[in-house]
Amino acid sequence: MDLSRRGFLQAAALTAAASGLTVACGGSGSGGTKNGKNLTLWYWGGALSDKVVAEAKTHFGSAVTLTAASIGGDFKQKLTTTLAAGSSVPDITGIKGEDMASFLPNASRFLDLNDLGFKKISAQYLGWKTKLAQTSDGKQIGFPIDIGPTALFYREDLFAKAGVATDPDKVAALVKTWDDYFTLGTELQKKNPGTYLVNNISAVFNIAVGQGTQRFIDKNNHFIGDQDHIRGAWTTAIRPYTLGDAKINDNSWNAAIGKNLLTELGAAWHALDIEQAAPHTKGKWRVCANPAGPANQGGSYLALPKQCRNPEEAFKIISWILSPANDARGFTDAAIFPAAPAAYTTPAMTGPDAFFGGQKVIEVFGPAAKAIPDSYEAPADAAVMAPYMTELTNIEAKGKKPDDAWNDAVSQAKQIARRQGVN
């Protein structure tokens, strides 16, 4: 599995104390005081800028007392259990992007943000991101926090050693397609013995699927994980394996990223992973457009459970925290890539990045964010996708034949889909 910034930060999830926040376990719903003056916010470490949240307490202090809790552990499970119990429910809660689809069938547990004014400001946020938190009848459950536009991170020094162009625009022109990328990888490896093009093939599959408009289940709740668009993503993913350039054990990632990885496919927030794992490579990395177009990985939402004691004030709070200006601060404070394009032109995001050799990386991630395709993600999508990821690992780690792995992945995915009520 690839390192995720959210996973990377999990060990330090409880950051509230460091920023002066008061940690609590909620207090709304049937177990709280319904005076509307006390509001609770649940999120997880790295989901929001702690500085912005702390300032929100002061900014709205004359109207409400905001108590923010950074929740560690399995956030989705804790939120689901609390919502089902109906007591000690937070007035405002985060919802991880990968979990949003599973909450949509229970939209009645949340307030429709359109009723509180989101529709008037929704144009400030990326449409594809907003739609992923909408029900089929248009109810808006989630207010976008951030996104994860993907790109290609590459080692400028190793490209130069191979005599390959190193300028981001020129590299992007060399890797317009996945085939271009793999061909370039072969050339790079010849000049840099002992290096690898990708960390693992499941990373390629994840992005290749995300580059399309369809995933594993269609809008009519039919399984489509055996169709050409998924098979094509699978074929793309196993290509570097057949070329022999993808066999890196996940446990070696920290060492490989600073030594023998030529490129790394990932979202904007993955830059922090690379910088923290390989600080000695400062100045040697660059970023360019993803082969075959961008995908999205990660990004979350804020929502208001139906038990929210003061919906109007709670909506004002989340609108302020997630305004374009504060979104840009979230990027500066915690590498949270904004869902509001207006933030992309702010000084916080347009400056040069020293780790990437002074490159203005927003010039890559900004256009990528706007070009991510609209796609439908069913509630059971994540569960159905899991067997494909497992079988790709079996190819890479155990030498399983790709065709056998594909057949097993589809068979297992169909079984999971049926158990999840998918046709």
Side-chain angles (χ1 to χ4, degrees):
M1 122 186 350
D2 281 344
L3 287 181
S4 155
R5 186 177 69 84
R6 277 114 184 105
F8 189 88
L9 293 174
Q10 234 175 13
L14 296 175
T15 56
S19 59
L21 303 183
T22 302
V23 178
C25 293
S28 56
S30 60
T33 303
K34 298 186 178 182
N35 58 17
K37 288 287 290 183
N38 299 311
L39 295 180
T40 53
L41 163 63
W42 279 16
Y43 66 114
W44 56 94
L48 297 168
S49 163
D50 290 332
K51 294 179 181 178
V52 172
V53 173
E55 288 182 21
K57 295 177 65 178
T58 302
H59 188 80
F60 293 94
S62 61
V64 297
T65 298
L66 177 64
T67 302
S70 183
I71 306 296
D74 189 333
F75 188 92
K76 179 186 178 183
Q77 184 58 49
K78 291 180 181 180
L79 178 60
T80 300
T81 301
T82 302
L83 291 173
S87 61
S88 296
V89 178
D91 299 286
I92 304 168
T93 184
I95 296 179
K96 296 184 179 184
E98 61 267 30
D99 297 331
M100 177 54 76
S102 66
F103 279 103
L104 287 177
N106 296 304
S108 60
R109 295 187 183 278
F110 300 92
L111 298 177
D112 184 353
L113 300 181
N114 286 329
D115 294 339
L116 297 166
F118 181 78
K119 188 172 290 187
K120 295 178 181 178
I121 61 173
S122 62
Q124 296 180 30
Y125 302 88
L126 291 162
W128 64 263
K129 176 68 175 179
T130 297
K131 290 177 183 177
L132 290 173
Q134 283 179 1
T135 62
S136 59
D137 59 355
K139 183 177 181 179
Q140 188 71 37
I141 290 178
F143 196 126
I145 297 176
D146 65 323
I147 58 173
T150 62
L152 180 68
F153 300 92
Y154 64 94
R155 282 285 296 272
E156 186 268 350
D157 57 327
L158 297 180
F159 274 50
K161 183 179 177 181
V164 173
T166 60
D167 176 79
D169 288 339
K170 292 182 179 179
V171 174
L174 292 175
V175 296
K176 286 184 177 180
T177 69
W178 286 110
D179 282 343
D180 291 339
Y181 173 54
F182 300 136
T183 298
L184 178 62
T186 301
E187 179 182 347
L188 289 167
Q189 285 181 292
K190 289 179 181 178
K191 300 293 181 62
N192 293 282
T195 58
Y196 299 87
L197 184 65
V198 301
N199 181 37
N200 57 47
I201 58 179
S202 59
V204 178
F205 181 72
N206 199 4
I207 290 178
V209 171
Q211 290 172 325
T213 58
Q214 292 181 305
R215 294 181 63 85
F216 299 88
I217 303 165
D218 67 16
K219 292 183 179 180
N220 295 317
N221 201 36
H222 293 132
F223 175 79
I224 54 174
D226 55 354
Q227 295 187 5
D228 289 346
H229 65 290
I230 299 298
R231 187 60 195 256
W234 177 276
T235 300
T236 296
I238 63 174
R239 177 76 186 282
Y241 174 80
T242 60
L243 294 174
D245 60 11
K247 293 183 180 179
I248 293 180
N249 187 296
D250 284 339
N251 293 328
S252 71
W253 185 85
N254 277 6
I257 196 67
K259 183 180 179 182
N260 59 355
L261 265 181
L262 293 161
T263 68
E264 181 77 341
L265 294 157
W269 45 259
H270 193 46
L272 183 61
D273 294 338
I274 298 173
E275 184 172 354
Q276 293 183 334
H280 63 283
T281 60
K282 179 179 179 180
K284 296 180 179 181
W285 288 90
R286 300 291 186 274
V287 187
C288 75
N290 202 99
N296 181 67
Q297 291 184 333
S300 303
Y301 300 87
L302 287 179
L304 305 182
K306 68 178 182 180
Q307 292 92 340
C308 179
R309 291 168 289 182
N310 191 335
E312 291 75 18
E313 203 64 30
F315 183 76
K316 290 179 184 178
I317 291 172
I318 64 175
S319 298
W320 185 85
I321 290 175
L322 301 177
S323 65
N326 282 331
D327 257 1
R329 292 180 59 199
F331 180 76
T332 301
D333 296 343
I336 302 168
F337 197 88
Y344 305 164
T345 60
T346 61
M349 299 198 69
T350 55
D353 190 318
F355 186 80
F356 292 96
Q359 182 182 353
K360 297 180 179 180
V361 298
I362 189 61
E363 295 176 357
V364 175
F365 289 115
K370 297 174 184 178
I372 291 168
D374 280 324
S375 64
Y376 171 70
E377 187 170 338
D381 186 87
V384 171
M385 183 179 187
Y388 298 86
M389 306 300 276
T390 298
E391 290 299 327
L392 286 168
T393 299
N394 287 339
I395 293 173
E396 195 170 51
K398 301 179 181 179
K400 189 170 183 176
K401 293 181 179 179
D403 285 344
D404 291 343
W406 166 259
N407 291 332
D408 287 346
V410 171
S411 176
Q412 293 165 34
K414 286 181 176 179
Q415 292 178 37
I416 293 171
R418 282 194 292 269
R419 291 198 296 267
Q420 298 273 347
V422 177
N423 300 318

